[in-house]
Amino acid sequence: MKTPNDHAANPELVDFNVPAIFHRVVQPAFLMPGESLSDYEAIRDMIIQEIAPQSGIEWLWVADLIELSWDVIRYRMLRQKMLEVRRKDAIEAMLKRIDLPGIPGAFKQVAQDHTRLNAEAWQIDPDATTEIELRLEKYGVDEGSVNAEVLVQAQELLLLFDGLIQSAQSRRILLLREINRRRISLAIEQNGNPKRRIVPNDR
């Protein structure tokens, strides 16, 4: 497995005539374990090719755009992983609703511990997975019910990741607009038409 340091040691960059001083700023500052350097490079090269920075300040803005774009991808991947993790919690919650009613208070903690172990077995043991899912289905718990419970379990984290994604997207749009304004202003000063105009996607 490659570590973030292994990623950082690979400075390959498609030749876009990047000024030497900016080679470092368009490399990933930090990649988490499991993140793909090749995916990062594909996003980076696409942005550099699309915007074609024309000055030092634009290269600095592009470096920020690359990081913000990668952050959006990172947050989406982490959000998906979090939903997968919370599925075990959803199964446990469903099992509690089926198994715990009617259990005397003196035995409730033992029953809760047993339900938790069942949910963990559902996650790693194929035979337990089949048995538990059949039992849930018998009580009317289908995939839709489990999905709904996952969303309930993960509600706060979903709001957190949505906020992070929206913040990164908003900052990215502001940078694209700043590049547009600068290029239009320079074109007006030079009594010419803008050579390149980037229209940010507000969707």
Side-chain angles (χ1 to χ4, degrees):
M1 178 184 295
K2 292 184 178 181
T3 66
N5 287 335
D6 294 329
H7 293 314
N10 182 1
E12 293 181 6
L13 179 66
V14 175
D15 184 10
F16 291 111
N17 296 318
V18 182
I21 194 172
F22 296 116
H23 268 275
R24 180 176 294 276
V25 300
V26 295
Q27 301 304 325
F30 175 74
L31 292 181
M32 300 176 69
E35 293 183 339
S36 169
L37 176 60
S38 61
D39 288 348
Y40 179 93
E41 289 175 339
I43 295 296
R44 175 200 65 194
D45 295 349
M46 178 185 66
I47 291 173
I48 292 175
Q49 186 173 35
E50 174 70 20
I51 295 179
Q54 300 172 8
S55 67
I57 189 62
E58 288 191 8
W59 274 107
L60 291 174
W61 284 338
V62 163
D64 288 339
L65 281 172
I66 294 168
E67 288 301 316
L68 289 169
S69 297
W70 184 252
D71 281 343
V72 170
I73 293 172
R74 169 183 285 159
Y75 297 148
R76 285 174 175 166
M77 290 189 298
L78 290 174
R79 182 177 61 183
Q80 179 60 36
K81 178 58 65 175
M82 176 267 299
L83 289 173
E84 293 172 6
V85 170
R86 288 301 178 123
R87 198 163 192 83
K88 193 250 326 163
D89 297 335
I91 292 293
E92 182 178 347
M94 294 294 187
L95 288 174
K96 284 181 177 179
R97 291 171 190 164
I98 293 171
D99 296 340
L100 296 188
I103 299 282
F107 301 100
K108 185 155 289 188
Q109 185 59 53
V110 174
Q112 288 177 343
D113 292 342
H114 183 70
T115 300
R116 177 177 51 80
L117 292 175
N118 281 342
E120 291 175 358
W122 167 85
Q123 197 170 30
I124 61 176
D125 183 344
D127 291 335
T129 300
T130 300
E131 187 275 328
I132 289 171
E133 290 181 353
L134 286 174
R135 186 149 59 94
L136 290 174
E137 185 178 347
K138 178 181 176 181
Y139 284 88
V141 179
D142 57 12
E143 285 293 325
S145 301
V146 176
N147 290 340
E149 184 65 30
V150 169
L151 295 178
V152 170
Q153 295 278 348
Q155 184 176 15
E156 291 185 3
L157 287 174
L158 285 174
L159 290 174
L160 169 65
F161 281 114
D162 285 347
L164 291 171
I165 291 170
Q166 290 175 15
S167 174
Q169 288 174 332
S170 296
R171 291 162 61 197
R172 186 168 56 181
I173 289 170
L174 288 174
L175 280 171
L176 289 170
R177 287 176 175 166
E178 193 63 34
I179 293 172
N180 277 340
R181 281 194 289 267
R182 182 178 185 277
R183 291 182 178 180
I184 291 171
S185 296
L186 289 175
I188 291 173
E189 290 176 5
Q190 296 167 4
N191 295 318
N193 293 322
K195 294 181 179 180
R196 189 180 185 88
R197 190 166 189 269
I198 304 163
V199 180
N201 188 344
D202 290 313
R203 291 181 298 175

